[in-house]
């Protein structure tokens, strides 16, 4: 059933899943907007890509509402069937229902994540509780669940294919995990919780985006830029102009990753680094209208209450029971194995940085805003390697050619750029991807650059998932990044980490493109969340291989291939700073677990602040960083 993704609005890596199931025939011409709304029409575009040139932000909300009605009518038809429940008339019928809604959701959430405007933001807020209610109307529909249960109970005698048996299991499990077995009172409460959570999580993401965009650091003295790469200096100058600063020479730095990270790496101005660092760490924690503390507290409380309704100790136990990790104990078992060695390593690294800072004549403890700056200095001293020297070898199109070249070498894939297909932003690139034998595999959209309308991080999603019920439906996938945009004087030059991110996200894209199943809801990245990173890790590991680097890392001006000695330095420094990197994301993992192992008896009314949760965890003897703000985004 293609309804899971409907409520999966925003996560660090959004991997929505769905497709183009046969659209229901024109529903009883109810919505007047249907006649002129491209989101509800059949698309005669090449490869069936969304007609982004005709879709206006105003089209989404009426399309959602009409598609929800269509889906509800299809569900009614399934429950009204006088015939006894069978796999075909119930499980498969359910799977094939909601095609239009699936299409609207996939396109909308992709656009709202990568190129939002006031209308899409408002639409997301409005539609979140409506989708949550629609989902509950299906999964708490008693007549429907009875039919699902009837089929499920005969499963051993139905002679289903392995994929059909899996779909039946998943469908049954989805109903049970959504409260189908609860009594009426519990179900009524569940509906309220789901609606409120949908609204809150939407609000949470909007607040982070607002606070990210509202902050700026204005620099007027060139000395404060230090050794910042020229391409990024130009980007900061353009940002100052874009924001209307009327100065001869000035630069604006923002909380977008391509802006904040290099400034923290290169600016010798400690006070400014602190301002930017605090700006980032304090997003949505400034006691203003965009503050998320009360929202976090409320969401944690609601999740705990919902897990109790479902018969689990806490939200973590509930969520993990449907993933490979299975239990919070297993999660802590893995985290705890890694934590101590990583922390020891991070302390060794910190000592090096502290020494470097003292050599600079600064008499203070190394702070968060010093870490990246002195890391670059130590990297240069130890490995004679700096980010700035690498970027010219990682022009964005060169890295793309490396990623594609690797896919050609490994699987024979062919990529053909198309400039005639509609896009949601002019900077996007669109490719037809073909198998070695020339047959069509997928359409791939690439959206590289950071901008205020895009949320942070990097992710993949499917505008159309693969399926094969009434003919093979090929996937349409997108990769989204926050790379530095090109400027007048310079193309987009990536850091080593950016380049790794490119390979990583392309692994997710491959997962979507190589999908070969019958049912959309089992396609591509619709796997347990803790499996989904497997293909991306495989691709990421290819990036530093010398033969792969030699395929693409040519200097953007001279065309000179990356020298062997630079490749050697990259590999020699591969484990450099990994104590910090590991501790940084593990702290976020511990904090995430800390919120979600709280049970419904915790004093949420007094929770109020993030601090409280961290305190609670320390009392429980769990490890958290000594820094209060350990939350990091990781794409
Ligand atoms: Zn990933």
């Amino acid at each position: 059933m293609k309804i899971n993704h409907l409520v999966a609005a925003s996560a660090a890596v959004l991997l929505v899943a769905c497709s183009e199931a046969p659209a229901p025939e024109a529903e009883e011409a109810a919505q007047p907007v249907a006649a002129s709304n491209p989101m509800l029409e059949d698309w005669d575009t090449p490869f069936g890509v969304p007609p982004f040139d005709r879709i206006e932000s105003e089209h989404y909300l009426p399309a959602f509402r009409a598609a929800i009605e269509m889906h509800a009518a299809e569900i009614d038809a399934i429950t009204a069937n006088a015939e006894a429940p069978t796999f075909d008339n119930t499980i498969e019928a359910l799977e094939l229902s909601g095609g239009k809604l699936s299409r609207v959701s996939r396109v909308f959430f992709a656009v709202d994540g990568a190129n939002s405007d006031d209308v899409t933001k408002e639409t997301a807020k409005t539609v979140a509780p409506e989708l949550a209610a629609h989902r509950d109307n299906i999964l708490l529909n008693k007549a429907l669940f009875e039919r699902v249960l009837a089929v499920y109970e005969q499963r051993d005698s139905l002679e289903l294919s392995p994929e059909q048996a899996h779909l039946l299991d998943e469908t049954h499990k989805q109903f049970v995990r959504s409260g189908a077995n609860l009594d009426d009172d519990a179900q009524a409460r569940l509906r309220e919780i789901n609606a409120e959570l949908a609204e809150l999580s939407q609000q949470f993401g909007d607040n982070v985006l607002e606070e990210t965009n509202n902050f700026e650091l204005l620099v007027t003295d060139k000395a404060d830029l230090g050794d910042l790469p020229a391409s990024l200096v130009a980007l900061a100058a353009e940002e100052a102009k874009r924001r209307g600063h009327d100065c001869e020479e000035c630069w604006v730095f923002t909380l977008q990753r391509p802006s904040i990270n290099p400034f923290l790496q290169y600016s010798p101005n400690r006070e400014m680094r602190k301002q930017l660092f605090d700006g980032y760490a304090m997003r949505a924690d400034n006691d203003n209208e965009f503050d998320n503390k009360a929202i976090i507290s409320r969401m944690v409380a609601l999740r705990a209450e919902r897990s109790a309704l479902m018969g689990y100790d806490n939200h973590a136990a509930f969520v993990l029971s449907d993933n490979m990790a299975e239990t919070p104990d297993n999660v802590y078992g893995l985290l705890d194995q890694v934590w101590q060695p990583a922390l020891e390593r991070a302390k060794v690294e910190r000592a090096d940085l502290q020494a470097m800072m003292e050599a600079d004549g600064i008499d203070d403890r190394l702070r968060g805003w010093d870490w990246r700056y002195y890391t670059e200095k130590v990297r240069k001293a130890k490995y004679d390697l700096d980010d700035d020297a690498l970027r010219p070898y990682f022009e964005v199109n060169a890295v793309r050619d490396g990623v594609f070249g690797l896919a050609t070498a490994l699987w024979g894939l062919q990529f053909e750029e198309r400039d005639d297909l509609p896009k949601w932003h002019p900077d996007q690139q669109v490719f037809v991807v073909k198998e070695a034998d020339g047959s069509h595999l997928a359409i791939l959209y690439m959206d590289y650059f950071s901008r205020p309308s895009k949320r942070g991080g990097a992710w993949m999603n499917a505008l159309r998932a693969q399926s094969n019920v009434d003919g093979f439906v090929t996937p349409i996938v997108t990769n989204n990044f926050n790379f530095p945009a090109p400027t007048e004087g310079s193309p987009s030059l990536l850091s080593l980490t950016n380049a790794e991110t490119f390979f990583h996200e392309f692994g997710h894209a491959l997962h979507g493109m190589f999908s070969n199943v019958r049912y959309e809801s089992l396609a591509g990245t619709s796997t347990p969340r803790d499996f989904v990173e497997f293909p991306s890790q495989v691709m990421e590991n290819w990036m530093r291989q010398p033969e792969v680097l030699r395929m693409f890392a040519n200097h953007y001006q001279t065309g000179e291939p990356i020298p062997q000695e630079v490749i050697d330095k990259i590999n020699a420094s591969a484990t450099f700073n990994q104590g910090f990197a590991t501790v940084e994301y593990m702290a976020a993992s511990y904090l995430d677990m800390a919120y979600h192992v709280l049970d419904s008896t915790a004093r949420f009314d007094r929770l109020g602040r993030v601090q409280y949760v961290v305190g609670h965890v320390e009392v429980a003897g769990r490890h958290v960083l000594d820094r209060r703000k350990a939350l990091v985004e990781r794409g």
Side-chain angles (χ1 to χ4, degrees):
M1 179 172 9
K2 298 178 291 288
I3 56 181
N4 262 341
H5 64 281
L6 299 183
V7 288
S10 47
V13 183
L14 179 63
L15 297 154
V16 272
C18 19
S19 99
E20 185 124 7
E25 290 311 316
E27 294 292 319
E28 58 258 77
Q31 309 290 325
V33 69
S36 60
N37 189 332
M39 283 311 297
L40 293 169
E41 292 165 9
D42 291 331
W43 297 335
D44 57 4
T45 48
F47 311 101
V49 299
F52 290 115
D53 50 340
R54 294 195 297 123
I55 300 171
E56 306 288 341
S57 299
E58 286 77 8
H59 288 135
Y60 291 113
L61 186 59
F64 265 120
R65 288 180 170 159
I68 286 173
E69 266 188 46
M70 291 177 199
H71 194 196
E74 291 171 293
I75 300 294
D76 287 348
I78 295 171
T79 53
N81 193 332
E83 288 170 33
T86 64
F87 180 87
D88 286 352
N89 75 19
T90 301
I91 305 300
E92 189 166 283
L94 202 50
E95 165 69 17
L96 299 182
S97 70
K100 270 279 190 316
L101 181 57
S102 166
R103 192 178 77 170
V104 174
S105 301
R106 287 176 178 280
V107 174
F108 173 76
F109 287 118
V111 170
D112 188 50
N115 199 28
S116 63
D117 60 26
D118 289 346
V119 177
T120 66
K121 278 190 244 178
E122 200 50 44
T123 298
K125 218 173 296 177
T126 307
V127 85
E130 295 177 20
L131 285 174
H134 174 60
R135 187 177 188 277
D136 282 341
N137 287 341
I138 297 170
L139 293 169
L140 299 177
N141 179 323
K142 285 194 163 43
L144 186 59
F145 183 53
E146 267 170 34
R147 292 186 71 95
V148 170
L149 203 55
V151 180
Y152 184 71
E153 280 166 353
Q154 315 160 36
R155 62 192 178 281
D156 293 334
S157 59
L158 294 178
E159 294 181 355
L160 300 175
S161 72
E163 190 181 337
Q164 288 174 323
H166 185 54
L167 180 70
L168 175 55
D169 273 349
E170 289 293 312
T171 304
H172 174 256
K173 190 168 69 183
Q174 199 181 4
F175 274 86
V176 172
R177 290 179 61 82
S178 302
N181 281 325
L182 299 181
D183 66 32
D184 289 351
D185 286 350
Q187 287 193 349
R189 179 61 193 137
L190 193 60
R191 281 174 184 270
E192 290 170 4
I193 294 173
N194 289 339
E196 194 177 345
L197 275 174
E199 227 162 328
L200 290 171
S201 82
Q202 186 59 44
Q203 187 68 46
F204 181 96
D206 285 352
N207 286 345
V208 173
L209 191 62
E210 286 290 337
E211 290 267 284
T212 302
N213 290 336
N214 288 345
F215 181 96
E216 67 173 39
L217 175 73
L218 180 67
V219 178
T220 52
D221 183 350
K222 189 150 198 187
D224 292 333
L225 302 179
D227 296 328
L228 199 79
S231 58
L232 301 175
V233 173
L235 196 63
E238 284 191 1
E239 186 64 23
K241 227 172 273 167
R242 204 182 63 76
R243 291 181 177 230
H245 287 286
D246 185 22
C247 42
E248 195 59 33
E249 240 196 352
C250 65
W251 303 269
V252 160
F253 292 86
T254 70
L255 302 180
Q256 308 275 2
R257 282 305 185 91
S259 186
I260 179 176
N261 278 5
F263 191 87
L264 293 176
Q265 283 172 296
Y266 293 107
S267 174
N269 187 322
R270 195 170 185 228
E271 178 50 37
M272 284 185 167
R273 291 201 310 266
K274 179 180 186 321
Q275 283 175 34
L276 203 55
F277 183 90
D278 283 347
Y280 188 80
M282 296 302 289
R283 284 172 307 160
D285 189 9
N286 291 310
D287 299 321
N288 58 16
E289 59 183 308
F290 305 117
D291 198 281
N292 271 339
K293 290 190 288 291
I295 291 178
I296 292 173
S297 165
R298 183 73 186 143
M299 288 180 76
V300 170
L302 288 169
R303 285 174 177 173
E305 186 187 349
R306 182 172 60 186
S307 62
L309 279 177
M310 297 299 191
Y312 289 83
D313 289 344
N314 52 56
H315 182 70
F318 173 54
V319 170
L320 289 165
S321 65
D322 193 30
N323 277 282
M324 290 167 68
E326 293 181 340
T327 64
D329 279 350
N330 287 340
V331 170
Y332 282 122
L334 180 63
L335 291 178
D336 289 349
Q337 275 180 55
V338 184
W339 176 257
Q340 274 309 329
L343 190 62
E344 289 311 310
R345 183 65 218 154
K347 285 176 180 171
V348 172
E349 291 166 6
R350 184 175 64 186
D352 285 348
L353 305 183
Q354 180 78 41
M356 191 62 98
M357 188 170 92
E358 281 163 16
D360 257 5
I362 295 171
D363 178 25
D364 188 13
R365 190 164 62 83
L366 186 87
R367 310 282 180 169
W369 46 91
D370 300 319
W371 200 291
R372 287 186 161 78
Y373 181 70
Y374 288 103
T375 293
E376 285 315 305
K377 294 201 164 223
V378 172
R379 194 199 310 267
K380 202 159 185 178
K382 281 199 169 167
Y383 302 101
D384 188 26
L385 184 70
D386 73 65
D387 201 40
D388 193 18
L390 288 178
R391 282 182 191 263
Y393 295 102
F394 295 139
E395 192 271 319
V396 68
N397 292 299
V399 178
R400 176 205 65 201
D401 290 344
V403 168
F404 288 178
L406 178 63
T408 305
L410 293 174
W411 299 288
L413 297 189
Q414 304 166 44
F415 299 83
E416 194 181 288
E417 185 165 3
R418 293 280 295 248
D419 53 16
D420 59 329
L421 299 183
K423 313 167 184 183
W424 68 59
H425 191 280
D427 286 348
Q428 272 182 308
Q429 295 177 350
V430 194
F431 299 88
V432 175
V433 185
K434 293 178 179 171
E435 297 266 28
D437 66 5
S439 59
H440 181 88
L441 181 68
I443 297 291
L444 175 64
Y445 282 78
M446 290 288 192
D447 188 352
Y448 302 118
F449 308 125
S450 194
R451 54 176 175 260
S453 62
K454 196 188 272 185
R455 64 185 176 79
W459 65 96
M460 163 272 190
N461 38 31
L463 293 168
R464 182 176 75 197
Q466 179 271 330
S467 67
N468 191 10
V469 178
D470 294 319
F472 201 97
V473 175
T474 56
I476 302 174
V477 307
T478 80
N479 268 172
N480 303 277
F481 307 93
N482 271 281
F483 296 149
T487 60
E488 254 173 47
S490 166
S492 172
L493 303 178
L494 308 190
S495 66
L496 187 63
T497 313
N498 291 157
E500 264 168 5
T501 301
F502 203 139
F503 278 73
H504 177 110
E505 294 306 329
F506 187 72
H508 291 310
L510 284 173
H511 196 174
M513 294 194 292
F514 281 147
S515 178
N516 184 2
V517 296
R518 178 174 169 87
Y519 299 117
E520 168 185 345
S521 60
L522 303 176
T525 53
S526 302
T527 64
R529 183 68 188 266
D530 48 2
F531 172 80
V532 88
E533 295 301 324
F534 177 63
S536 56
Q537 296 298 308
V538 170
M539 286 305 287
E540 203 179 304
N541 283 324
W542 279 103
M543 196 238 132
R544 285 169 187 257
Q545 302 303 316
E547 57 269 49
V548 174
L549 280 168
R550 273 193 292 270
M551 278 169 57
F552 74 91
N554 301 323
H555 195 286
Y556 82 100
Q557 283 165 319
T558 65
E560 168 217 7
I562 190 165
Q564 184 59 43
E565 57 160 358
V566 177
I567 295 180
D568 291 344
K569 285 177 190 174
I570 289 176
N571 287 311
S573 66
T575 58
F576 175 69
N577 200 36
Q578 286 304 302
F580 170 74
T582 308
V583 163
E584 189 187 37
Y585 73 74
M586 287 190 74
S589 307
Y590 276 117
L591 184 57
D592 187 17
M593 289 298 289
Y595 286 132
H596 294 124
V597 295
L598 294 173
D599 65 33
S600 57
T601 63
R603 291 170 299 143
F604 295 105
D605 53 328
R606 297 186 55 206
L607 190 60
R609 300 188 64 84
V610 178
Q611 229 167 353
Y612 179 90
V613 177
V614 176
H616 187 102
V617 177
E618 279 165 348
V619 169
R622 292 291 176 193
H623 326 278
V624 280
L625 259 197
D626 56 352
R627 284 189 291 135
R628 183 164 81 83
K629 289 285 171 181
L631 273 173
V632 289
E633 281 178 6
R634 237 181 111 76

